């Protein structure tokens, strides 16, 4: 039996909860709370760089007026979006996280705003229903904010609407239980093929909603679009840079994991619904959870400050057993001493059998400081 988590009693706790949640959803340990009470926040409470994005994303936590759980209106959504225009640098995505219940009318407004490109960023709304579902299956968040509540033993399903953010899709695949049960190699392959299949259902199948679920051995993708079996209908021989790339991704997945994962399609007409259901059933889990030899990690060092911050950032990086090489791609940085300390701390936690590669911009000073490290353990690679 799953326990419903209560809405935080005040907006400060709700904002703290959202900050911790989106750090995990974005896989961005550097995600920050923007300003403090009384300061202008340009419509953004939390900002960071999603691992799947190319620029900053922002979150506004609603409500701050003592009415947590109240209905979100179209007027409020438009106001928060208008305020977020002033955030610098310009956002790629803006999410309004609300304690209000899920509302199809508000989702429709967000969908219309995105279709018309009303704002220079994608607009998304997360209701308490979606927020609670993500918290429930993340042990660190449950223990921190709801210590007496049980952690979900499975990865609850998530419904994604046509206007939904990438956040909800990638958040599903970042849930700890799912990551542990799939392993990094299969997880990355499933993300790629699932994304293409979901996009195909929305764009070509006219789907309004897609539901993802995972019970430990089976991943299900359910959509309410037109009847279509991608296993028979997608043709990888038609792939070009202009289209049919989803066909190629599905074909590549089947070639790589065909022995380990059985894929099937059914048209489910039960309970008055007409859904496509695509099932990925893991048959040889032990083989699927293999670790890739090279682990690629992108690190934004621009928000790191001081040696303690560098040490904390290094400690947050998890390297699976079996990895042979860790590649850290760093952006432009102003904190040279902190960066060197970050590399030192990361090198200290890695066994000698793992090579640490630092990919850095040609214009920064890291290449000139490579002599500070043993070249057999740390390799500096300009790009």
């Amino acid at each position: 039996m799953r326990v419903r988590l209560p809405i935080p009693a005040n907006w400060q706790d709700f904002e703290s909860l959202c900050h911790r949640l989106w750090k995990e959803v974005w896989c961005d340990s550097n995600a920050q709370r923007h300003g403090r009470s009384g300061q202008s926040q340009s419509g953004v409470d939390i900002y960071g760089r999603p691992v799947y994005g190319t620029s900053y994303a922002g979150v506004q936590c609603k409500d701050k007026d003592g009415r947590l759980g109240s209905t979100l209106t179209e007027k409020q959504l438009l106001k928060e979006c208008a305020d977020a225009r002033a955030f610098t640098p310009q956002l790629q995505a803006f999410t309004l996280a609300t304690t209000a219940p899920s509302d199809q009318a508000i989702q429709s407004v967000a969908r219309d705003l995105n279709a018309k490109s009303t704002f220079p960023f994608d607009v998304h709304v997360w209701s308490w229903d979606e927020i609670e579902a993500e918290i429930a299956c993340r042990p660190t968040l449950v223990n921190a904010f709801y210590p007496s509540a049980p952690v979900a033993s499975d990865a609850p399903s998530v419904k994604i609407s046509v206007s939904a953010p990438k956040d909800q899709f990638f958040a599903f695949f970042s849930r700890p239980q799912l990551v542990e049960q799939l392993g990094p190699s299969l997880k990355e392959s499933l993300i790629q093929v699932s994304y293409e299949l979901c996009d195909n259902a929305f764009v070509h199948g006219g789907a309004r909603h897609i539901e993802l679920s995972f019970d430990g051995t089976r991943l299900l993708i359910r959509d309410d679009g037109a009847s279509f079996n991608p296993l028979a209908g997608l043709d990888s021989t038609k792939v070009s840079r202009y289209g049919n790339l989803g066909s190629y991704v599905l074909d590549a997945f089947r070639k790589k994991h065909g022995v380990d994962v059985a894929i099937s399609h059914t048209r489910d007409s039960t309970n008055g619904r007409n859904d496509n259901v695509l099932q990925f059933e893991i048959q040889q889990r032990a083989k699927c959870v293999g670790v890739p030899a090279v682990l690629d990690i992108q690190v934004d060092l621009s928000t790191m400050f001081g040696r303690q911050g560098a040490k904390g950032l290094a400690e947050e990086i998890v390297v699976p057993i079996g990895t042979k090489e860790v590649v850290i791609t760093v952006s432009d940085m102003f904190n040279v001493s902190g960066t060197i300390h970050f590399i030192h701390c990361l090198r200290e936690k890695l066994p000698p059998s793992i090579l640490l590669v630092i990919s850095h911009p040609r214009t920064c000073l890291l290449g000139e400081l490579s002599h500070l490290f043993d070249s057999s353990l740390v390799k500096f690679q300009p790009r």
Side-chain angles (χ1 to χ4, degrees):
M1 181 178 69
R2 184 159 295 130
V3 177
R4 293 302 303 264
L5 302 178
I7 295 173
N10 57 69
W11 69 261
Q12 293 95 334
D13 289 343
F14 180 51
E15 185 175 309
S16 297
L17 181 58
C18 287
H19 178 218
R20 290 283 297 275
L21 174 59
W22 261 272
K23 284 179 74 171
E24 291 197 17
V25 168
W26 290 335
C27 298
D28 180 9
S29 60
N30 293 319
Q32 302 288 316
R33 295 171 74 171
H34 187 217
R36 61 180 183 272
S37 181
Q39 290 185 321
S40 174
Q41 294 178 303
S42 302
V44 174
D45 290 323
I46 303 158
Y47 68 94
R49 287 178 178 266
V51 69
Y52 45 84
T54 58
S55 187
Y56 282 97
V59 177
Q60 170 65 224
C61 305
K62 260 310 198 187
D63 255 324
K64 289 187 175 182
D65 57 6
R67 296 185 296 109
L68 288 167
S70 60
T71 302
L72 178 67
T73 67
E74 179 180 349
K75 183 178 179 180
Q76 288 175 318
L77 176 60
L78 292 174
K79 179 185 181 301
E80 298 299 342
C81 290
D83 290 345
R85 283 179 181 271
F87 185 83
T88 303
Q90 182 175 294
L91 298 175
Q92 184 180 41
F94 174 71
T95 298
L96 191 61
T98 173
T99 53
S102 184
D103 185 343
Q104 289 187 0
I106 285 295
Q107 291 292 351
S108 179
V109 172
R111 182 165 61 247
D112 189 54
L113 292 175
N114 293 334
K116 295 178 179 178
S117 299
T118 306
F119 295 97
F121 41 71
D122 290 336
V123 177
H124 311 298
V125 177
W126 276 51
S127 70
W128 178 249
D129 301 287
E130 286 109 21
I131 294 170
E132 181 201 15
E134 286 304 324
I135 296 168
C137 54
R138 296 174 185 272
T140 56
L141 298 188
V142 173
N143 293 335
F145 294 92
Y146 300 96
S148 61
V151 178
S153 59
D154 59 354
S157 64
V158 58
K159 278 191 175 181
I160 303 174
S161 72
V162 70
S163 63
K166 292 179 183 177
D167 286 3
Q168 285 181 289
F169 177 88
F170 285 98
F172 177 79
F173 283 99
S174 73
R175 292 174 175 181
Q177 301 97 322
L178 191 142
V179 172
E180 179 182 347
Q181 291 165 342
L182 290 178
S185 179
L186 179 57
K187 186 200 76 169
E188 292 303 318
S189 293
L190 280 172
I191 288 176
Q192 290 179 351
V193 72
S194 298
Y195 189 88
E196 294 294 338
L197 292 169
C198 289
D199 184 61
N200 185 72
F202 280 137
V203 175
H204 301 294
R208 306 303 295 172
H209 294 89
I210 290 176
E211 183 175 342
L212 300 174
S213 61
F214 182 70
D215 65 4
T217 58
R218 293 180 305 163
L219 170 70
L220 297 182
I221 304 177
R222 176 186 292 269
D223 75 77
D224 60 359
S227 179
F228 179 69
N229 179 2
L231 302 178
L234 294 181
D235 185 355
S236 62
T237 64
K238 297 180 180 179
V239 66
S240 74
R241 59 181 176 177
Y242 303 107
N244 291 295
L245 290 169
S247 305
Y248 173 81
V249 174
L250 177 60
D251 187 59
F253 181 91
R254 297 172 79 175
K255 289 178 179 177
K256 182 177 181 180
H257 298 286
V259 176
D260 314 313
V261 182
I263 313 175
S264 60
H265 171 272
T266 57
R267 183 69 174 172
D268 184 6
S269 301
T270 60
N271 300 321
R273 299 175 56 176
N274 290 289
D275 294 341
N276 295 297
V277 181
L278 199 63
Q279 175 178 286
F280 294 79
E281 184 170 4
I282 302 172
Q283 299 181 322
Q284 298 186 39
R285 182 178 180 275
K287 183 176 180 181
C288 291
V289 297
V291 176
V294 179
L295 178 65
D296 286 290
I297 304 174
Q298 186 166 350
V299 179
D300 181 9
L301 301 176
S302 63
T303 57
M304 180 186 67
F305 191 84
R307 293 168 67 87
Q308 198 60 34
K311 181 180 179 181
L313 184 59
E315 290 176 347
E316 290 180 359
I317 294 177
V318 178
V319 180
I321 296 174
T323 301
K324 300 185 182 302
E325 185 175 308
V326 175
V327 180
I328 301 292
T329 301
V330 300
S331 56
D332 290 316
M333 76 322 179
F334 62 89
N335 185 356
V336 176
S337 59
T339 300
I340 293 298
H341 191 61
F342 163 76
I343 297 172
H344 167 74
C345 292
L346 183 56
R347 181 62 268 178
E348 286 288 300
K349 69 180 285 187
L350 296 176
S353 59
I354 296 180
L355 174 66
L356 177 59
V357 179
I358 307 298
S359 173
H360 61 87
R362 294 179 182 274
T363 54
C364 78
L365 297 174
L366 280 181
E368 300 176 25
L369 298 172
S370 60
H371 64 279
L372 299 177
F373 297 90
D374 185 338
S375 60
S376 66
L377 298 175
V378 182
K379 178 182 178 182
F380 290 82
Q381 187 169 292
R383 62 176 190 279

